Amino acid sequence: MVAMSGSVAERERHAAEGGTDLLTVGVEEEFLLADPHTGTAVPAVELVMEQVPAELRGQVEREFQTSQIEIGSPPGLELSSIRHSLGMLRAELADAAERAGVRLLAIGTGPVDGPVPAVVDKPRFDRMIERFRLLVPGPGNNGMHVHVGVPDPDTGVRVLNHVRPWLPILQAVTTNSPFSRGADTGYASWRSIEWERWPSVAPTPYLESHEHYQRLIRQLIASGVMLDEGMLYWYARLSAKYPTVEIRIGDVCPSVDDAVLVAALVRGLVATALTDIAAGRRAVNTDHHLLVAAHWRAAHDGLEGQGVDLTDGELRPAWELLERLVDRLRPELERHGDLDRVTELLDGLRRHGSGAARQRAVFAKTGKLVDVVTDVARQTRG
């Protein structure tokens, strides 16, 4: 492995020379479209798409429901480039939404009660509704997906085994949907609970090989719980489109800074897994039911509560588990030049709290969910 100084110039030179030890990262974010006066979700995706600048339309897509819209950043080596892309895309999309008469919200699910917007008119989505009927998750279920480059599918499957015990604490970091249908749900991520209605949503199983991974996909499609590989909603999977591992556990983050922090942690986690694989260290085969419990606890408590320590099954403060994760990732964060930025962003997260905590703080102050919506819109734009 080539020794790196951590400077931008040296990392870019190494990438240009064909180095493969630094990993690219890209982010997909889903957003809710809401009425600016009431905060209810509105079926405005077509109106917003019409307002998106032509040069950005390749990075903006419709999502499952007509109240949702999605962006994707180009993959990059530098967190600064990821931050620039996400910030620019969010700002342009927020402008487009305002021109269409709605607000863009980086929020896990709609907090204000109202009619459930229709599903986007697309043959695949029509088949999903025909098969799964009433599983449409309320006003819109908005997540964040982080892609990290891996050398090949066999290695990618081994990475999935290594990262699975750490995903509950990353889920806690992203919790950003405490309200639904006009009330506090008691959960930090209600989106996670709604999302689990779909039968193929689950922690990634411990996988024997890439062939095992492909066999499970075939069997799940044959069982009827999935129409196709795109409905493999495991919390981590191999991308069906790109040579990446895709971590898809979190609510969409309220701010660009939150999203950049999660992207850096995910890349550090994948890079650490690759280091362990190269050193011959086996992944811990954490019990599936304990993983389910840890993910439930993350959705319930978020970052401000307790999390399940998967080394012994005991509860620990979620921040303690997050600090343990960062300590484990420190060598790779430093090697990718991300450590200082991650430290800064973690300090901000500790001061401001998770997205769920921020929403609850606004509601505690004013008692109005429309004020929560206004504050989320402000954070979304940055």
Side-chain angles (χ1 to χ4, degrees), residues 27 70 95 126 150 186 191 203-204 241 245 249 252 277 316:
V27 176
E70 180 180 14
D95 286 343
D126 291 341
V150 290
R191 180 205 67 88
T204 309
K241 297 180 180 179
V245 164
I249 186 55
V252 64
I277 291 166
R316 304 272 188 274

Side-chain angles (χ1 to χ4, degrees), residues 119-311:
V119 171
V120 168
D121 185 12
K122 187 176 178 180
R124 180 171 179 268
F125 293 164
D126 291 341
R127 292 197 302 274
M128 289 171 69
I129 294 300
E130 182 180 2
R131 171 80 58 87
F132 300 104
R133 306 299 293 176
L134 295 178
L135 296 187
V136 177
N141 193 292
N142 305 299
M144 171 188 184
H145 307 157
V146 181
H147 290 260
V148 181
V150 290
D152 57 75
D154 290 299
T155 303
V157 164
R158 297 173 72 185
V159 167
L160 296 179
N161 287 340
H162 279 263
V163 305
R164 60 197 289 272
W166 298 100
L167 298 186
I169 189 57
L170 286 177
Q171 181 180 6
V173 171
T174 70
T175 49
N176 186 34
S177 50
F179 297 103
S180 178
R181 300 189 178 184
D184 192 319
T185 64
Y187 285 78
S189 174
W190 187 246
R191 180 205 67 88
S192 299
I193 305 304
E194 289 184 328
W195 184 231
E196 288 172 2
R197 296 175 185 177
W198 294 93
S200 55
V201 174
T204 309
Y206 194 89
L207 299 158
E208 299 166 5
S209 62
H210 184 231
E211 193 282 327
H212 181 206
Y213 179 90
Q214 293 177 309
R215 183 170 71 250
L216 283 174
I217 290 173
R218 292 193 299 270
Q219 291 170 335
L220 289 171
I221 292 171
S223 77
V225 304
M226 291 167 29
L227 292 179
D228 50 38
E229 186 175 351
M231 283 192 70
L232 186 71
Y233 297 145
W234 292 344
Y235 299 150
R237 68 182 187 184
L238 302 183
S239 171
K241 297 180 180 179
Y242 311 111
T244 64
V245 164
E246 181 183 2
I247 306 299
R248 44 188 299 114
I249 186 55
D251 290 359
V252 64
C253 291
S255 74
V256 171
D257 279 349
D258 298 314
V260 170
L261 172 61
V262 173
L265 292 175
V266 168
R267 175 164 66 177
L269 183 58
V270 173
T272 301
L274 289 169
T275 297
D276 287 343
I277 291 166
R281 290 187 282 271
R282 292 181 59 82
V284 176
N285 188 359
T286 305
D287 182 84
H288 170 80
H289 296 285
L290 191 58
L291 266 181
V292 169
H295 281 292
W296 175 85
R297 193 80 198 200
H300 184 272
D301 284 26
L303 195 55
E304 283 69 34
Q306 302 286 304
V308 177
D309 185 340
L310 289 170
T311 64

